[in-house]
Amino acid sequence: ASGAWTAVALGDTSGCGLRGGAPVCWGAGGRGQIGDGARADRLAATAVGGLATATTVTVGGAHACAISGAQAWCWGDNASGQLGDGTRSALFAPTAVTATTGWIDVAAADGHTCARRAGAGRTELWCWGRNDARQVDPGSAIGAVLDRPTELMATRDWGEVAAGRRHTCAIERVGAARALWCWGDNARGQLGTGAPAGVQPPATIATPSLTTWGALVADGDAACAIAEGTRYCWGRNDRGQLGLADLADRDRPTAGAATWRAVALGATFGCGRDAQDQLWCWGSDDRGELGLGAGDQATATPQQVTPGPVTALGAGAAHACATSAATPVCWGDNREGQTGHAAAVASIDAPTT
């Protein structure tokens, strides 16, 4: 594949993107997460087998999924049924989740996956995989094996979905308004509803009272969304990963400074793209994941990162990538080649092509 990069998505130790419309992956491949039919690490972007084009790609902990031909395809680790094919066996090449078409986009997390599908007069929400906090199906038993897609809240019209480590959030379209829902584990306030810690059923976020939610992301035990250009984040914040200038957890969406277009969350850090498409990062910097140069520069306050401007943006466990002039730049943890750089160095502390 050749051409401009239009998307990047990162997992724990691997990454995928769309280059010239074709899915490619790199980094750790021991559980099949490259999708090229092998169980080998790849230090350079490698074509995903059998998928000439895709419209979206997502990477979870050690699995990946893409939408191609209006079908959902997944590959990689499947220990929790997160590939949705009805088995628990790892897959080294893309396999269709179901025979049905109409799939629009997909979001992968550590052990579960959710996707949106075109239905009759509305967009459906389906999830599958690990249900240890009822993050896949609030109506099923904790720990149930849900290795086939299960539809959630089947009367509603869903506009976005994001999956965290043990929680899920989604945006419902209610006419012109947008309602933000979260469910699953709430140990660190990551559902944003103000509910007590523990496993919680789906509920809407009522405070702040906003109807313009978008750009929803989740990872680790945190989540962020954008409303009217303002970045709101909630959940775990012990490393400053919410970018709110302190280390206090938040159990409701809390506004950060500046005007934002997109956010990406890693395990304990975050990055964002502002209204001028400039790149900012915040949180932990153990492996150079903030892209600010040598030394641990951990900070709870967003710091501007060069280069800019950037378009697509993705964060993994401790590495990140963005597209600058349609070319990917990556930085952070590289112990398994997850930044896509051929040089086998342990970490890269500034964005590098």
Side-chain angles (χ1 to χ4, degrees):
S2 61
W5 289 73
T6 54
V8 288
L10 306 182
D12 283 355
T13 55
S14 63
C16 297
L18 297 179
R19 183 175 64 188
V24 293
C25 297
W26 63 90
R31 284 180 274 182
Q33 54 266 60
I34 305 301
D36 62 349
R39 294 183 62 172
D41 297 353
R42 303 296 185 198
L43 293 178
T46 302
V48 173
L51 296 182
T53 62
T55 54
T56 187
V57 64
T58 180
V59 185
H63 76 291
C65 299
I67 305 296
S68 178
Q71 279 189 294
W73 303 79
C74 295
W75 59 95
D77 184 29
N78 198 25
S80 300
Q82 62 262 53
L83 303 187
D85 69 332
T87 77
R88 308 288 286 278
S89 302
L91 298 171
F92 306 118
T95 300
V97 174
T98 69
T100 57
T101 58
W103 297 99
I104 298 167
D105 56 19
V106 58
D110 280 14
H112 77 290
T113 308
C114 295
R116 296 188 309 129
R117 183 175 174 270
R122 64 182 185 88
T123 299
E124 304 162 351
L125 177 61
W126 298 74
C127 296
W128 56 92
R130 191 168 67 215
N131 199 47
D132 58 340
R134 293 197 175 112
Q135 64 268 50
V136 166
D137 180 13
S140 294
I142 289 177
V145 177
L146 301 172
D147 53 18
R148 287 287 191 190
T150 299
E151 189 177 4
L152 279 73
M153 294 180 271
T155 61
R156 302 183 185 277
D157 180 24
W158 297 100
E160 294 184 27
V161 63
R165 188 173 64 89
R166 300 176 72 228
H167 70 295
T168 305
C169 296
I171 295 174
E172 179 193 6
R173 292 185 289 231
V174 187
R178 301 291 180 266
L180 180 53
W181 292 77
C182 293
W183 59 94
D185 182 34
N186 198 38
R188 304 301 292 260
Q190 61 263 48
L191 303 187
T193 59
V199 173
Q200 299 292 342
T204 55
I205 292 176
T207 307
S209 178
L210 296 169
T211 58
T212 55
W213 295 108
L216 177 65
V217 294
D219 196 9
D221 300 319
C224 297
I226 294 173
E228 295 165 33
T230 298
R231 174 180 61 88
Y232 292 84
C233 294
W234 59 97
R236 184 173 184 165
N237 195 35
D238 59 322
R239 302 296 303 276
Q241 58 262 54
L242 302 185
L244 298 173
D246 60 42
L247 303 180
D249 290 0
R250 298 294 200 283
D251 66 0
R252 294 188 187 277
T254 303
T259 305
W260 300 86
R261 287 183 169 167
V263 180
L265 288 175
T268 54
F269 77 104
C271 294
R273 180 166 62 95
D274 70 13
Q276 287 73 45
D277 293 326
Q278 298 302 304
L279 175 64
W280 301 73
C281 293
W282 57 87
S284 64
D285 196 32
D286 304 340
R287 309 293 311 175
E289 57 263 44
L290 299 190
L292 296 172
D296 187 339
Q297 301 196 44
T299 172
T301 302
Q303 303 293 315
Q304 189 166 357
V305 183
T306 54
V310 298
T311 48
L313 178 63
H319 70 297
C321 296
T323 52
S324 179
T327 299
V329 293
C330 298
W331 61 97
D333 189 7
N334 193 46
R335 288 172 290 183
E336 297 192 55
Q338 60 262 54
T339 65
H341 297 120
V345 294
S347 63
I348 295 171
D349 56 23
T352 307
T353 55

